[in-house]
Amino acid sequence: MQNKSLAKFLIGCLVIAFAFYIVFFGLEIGTASIPSVQKVIRYGLDLKGGVYIVYEAAKENPTRREMESALQLIRTRLDMRNFYDATATIQGSKRIRVEIPGVKDPDEAIQYIGRTALIEFKGPSGDLIVSGRNVVDAYAQQTASGYVVALKFDKEGTKKFAEGTKKYLGQNIGIYLDGKLISNPVVRAEIDNGEAVIEGMKDLEEAKTLAQQIKAGALPFALKVIESKAIGPSLGNEAYKTTLKACIIGLILVFLFMIIFYRLPGLIADIALVAYVVILVAIVGYAKITLTLPGIAGIVLSAAMAVDANILIFARLKEELRNGKTLRAAMDAGFRRALNAVIDSNVTTIIAGIVLLFLGTGPIKGFAWTLTIGIVVSFFTAITVTRFLLTSIINTGLFKDIRWYGGKKTREVDA
């Protein structure tokens, strides 16, 4: 029993150490590899530098569909310029915030992103049939034959499209956004009623994307820039280094505090805290969550919550030991009695994080993401990892003196 418990404890520590190595240094086995988190993590503007631009629709009360079309247009243009790390999000009812890491000149980005979208329907020989200004509506639809994009043209577009479909019956009519081919459907019948469908969508998401791209070329409003700013990478790098240094010093002080005041349980809590850092950093890095300076603050704050949960549990454990309970009974009582307080504290913080996530913008969202995920991870490590390791080490029977658990006088207690 004792050897088995010691083996469990050592295996638990080795798993955490191995996960730490993979996350921070990567792993390569033959042709398979897992990159280190430093290579995949996505840094925000305040850490990497770049520009952010806030657009506002030049129209009162634009619909949600119109705003999503505008957002899709911006995303398409960002992708066409290989700005894959850029983010574009809708703010409120009529604004769109765009963040582009690595770009120095906001005016250049504004000129490219903000210009009027151009949608064109062209025949096989490249001749123009209709343009986006003739498109009244475009939306995704599910029919008996699968997902399609439904189109509606105005009077002029109806006439031109009828001539085009008659001319190119059985051939392709290409749909171009800013000169880039985004769809190339085949004309199966002459269409003279101003309503057409594009078939062959593999799922609803593809149909929605194409509909939004077509709608983007027919936006009934312009996008005006109300705010833009460039952030230098040197400022971000300096802030990142300073913040990282502060985090490392803070973690070391927390490790020492837990060992000095809670001794063996404190050491177990430190190991669980390492597991927390590994899990959280892995989620943020591999899930491509943008890391900002406020996001790092969210990680530190949730780490403090993880330690706080352990302190509550260990304080209860010490009380139970003073009341004469065995180690295992004191530990079970400590976890049981502290659990409600830990849950209440975490739930209230998660609620605050979710509110910030939905109502916040830019760096505030980064803080909300890391804080919310961090609280969930910290709850897991504080309750599960800490308990597993502490149970294993108690069952070894090697640490019976109450001073290992924060007692002031020598006294052995049963496991």
Side-chain angles (χ1 to χ4, degrees):
M1 177 67 180
Q2 291 179 344
N3 290 337
K4 188 177 178 181
S5 298
L6 182 60
K8 282 184 178 179
F9 176 78
L10 293 176
I11 290 172
C13 292
L14 285 174
V15 168
I16 294 171
F18 187 56
F20 181 92
Y21 179 84
I22 292 176
V23 170
F24 288 97
F25 298 97
L27 182 67
E28 289 189 12
I29 301 177
T31 56
S33 65
I34 302 175
S36 68
V37 75
Q38 290 96 327
K39 294 181 180 176
V40 298
I41 201 163
R42 177 185 289 173
Y43 294 104
L45 291 186
D46 51 358
L47 294 176
K48 190 175 181 179
V51 301
Y52 77 84
I53 308 160
V54 179
Y55 291 98
E56 186 175 86
K59 177 188 179 182
E60 290 296 327
N61 303 320
T63 65
R64 185 70 184 177
R65 183 187 289 185
E66 289 172 338
M67 290 303 297
E68 287 176 350
S69 295
L71 182 68
Q72 182 60 45
L73 164 69
I74 290 174
R75 281 181 173 158
T76 301
R77 285 182 169 170
L78 290 170
D79 291 344
M80 289 167 69
R81 292 291 295 265
N82 298 325
F83 293 141
Y84 297 114
D85 287 343
T87 60
T89 53
I90 296 176
Q91 290 184 352
S93 61
K94 58 187 300 187
R95 291 182 179 178
I96 295 176
R97 180 187 177 97
V98 181
E99 295 184 354
I100 314 174
V103 173
K104 298 177 181 178
D105 185 359
D107 292 334
E108 182 183 355
I110 289 169
Q111 186 179 10
Y112 178 73
I113 296 172
R115 62 187 168 86
T116 304
L118 179 61
I119 279 283
E120 295 172 311
F121 293 71
K122 292 183 177 179
S125 57
D127 54 317
L128 179 66
I129 299 173
V130 290
S131 64
R133 66 186 181 87
N134 296 122
V135 178
V136 177
D137 201 1
Y139 53 90
Q141 228 179 15
Q142 186 177 10
T143 65
S145 60
Y147 294 104
V148 301
V149 175
L151 299 174
K152 288 185 179 179
F153 296 97
D154 61 11
K155 187 175 179 180
E156 180 186 1
T158 299
K159 183 180 177 183
K160 290 181 175 178
F161 199 66
E163 294 171 355
T165 52
K166 182 179 180 181
K167 182 178 180 182
Y168 296 116
L169 185 64
Q171 301 181 58
N172 297 84
I173 288 183
I175 303 174
Y176 295 82
L177 174 62
D178 295 337
K180 181 185 178 184
L181 183 67
I182 58 174
S183 185
N184 196 29
V186 176
V187 180
R188 302 188 186 283
E190 181 184 346
I191 300 171
D192 57 6
N193 62 354
E195 297 184 3
V197 294
I198 303 173
E199 299 176 332
M201 303 295 111
K202 66 179 180 181
D203 53 30
L204 181 62
E205 194 60 33
E206 182 178 330
K208 280 184 175 177
T209 300
L210 180 57
Q212 287 170 350
Q213 287 176 324
I214 294 173
K215 280 282 290 181
L219 279 180
F221 57 81
L223 292 172
K224 60 181 181 182
V225 178
I226 60 171
E227 186 180 357
S228 65
K229 187 175 181 181
I231 300 173
S234 58
L235 177 62
N237 288 335
E238 187 63 32
Y240 176 68
K241 289 176 182 175
T242 304
T243 305
L244 192 61
K245 187 177 178 181
C247 289
I248 293 172
I249 293 173
L251 281 175
I252 292 173
L253 290 176
V254 169
F255 286 165
L256 293 175
F257 173 84
M258 293 301 291
I259 292 174
I260 291 171
F261 283 88
Y262 295 97
R263 299 172 194 176
L264 184 60
L267 176 63
I268 299 295
D270 289 347
I271 296 172
L273 193 57
V274 173
Y276 156 83
V277 171
V278 170
I279 296 172
L280 182 57
V281 170
I283 292 175
V284 171
Y286 297 122
K288 303 289 184 184
I289 296 172
T290 302
L291 184 65
T292 61
L293 282 176
I296 295 176
I299 293 175
V300 174
L301 181 56
S302 57
M305 296 285 287
V307 175
D308 184 57
N310 282 321
I311 288 174
L312 281 174
I313 293 166
F314 298 156
R316 296 288 188 186
L317 186 151
K318 288 170 69 174
E319 284 182 12
E320 299 299 332
L321 285 176
R322 281 197 292 268
N323 291 333
K325 288 189 175 180
T326 64
L327 280 172
R328 183 61 186 268
M331 187 197 71
D332 289 340
F335 275 92
R336 188 175 61 253
R337 293 179 61 186
L339 186 60
N340 288 338
V342 172
I343 291 176
D344 290 347
S345 172
N346 286 342
V347 168
T348 52
T349 308
I350 287 174
I351 291 172
I354 292 174
V355 171
L356 288 175
L357 200 57
F358 281 96
L359 300 182
T361 59
I364 296 176
K365 273 185 178 287
F367 173 78
W369 268 118
T370 55
L371 177 65
T372 305
I373 296 172
I375 292 297
V376 175
V377 175
S378 72
F379 181 78
F380 169 76
T381 55
I383 300 299
T384 304
V385 179
T386 303
R387 185 164 190 160
F388 172 79
L389 293 175
L390 194 56
T391 301
S392 299
I393 202 71
I394 287 175
N395 288 340
T396 62
L398 299 175
F399 304 94
K400 293 183 178 181
D401 194 319
I402 197 170
R403 287 188 300 175
W404 282 107
Y405 304 90
K408 294 182 179 178
K409 296 180 181 178
T410 298
R411 177 169 68 86
E412 286 201 353
V413 289
D414 294 331

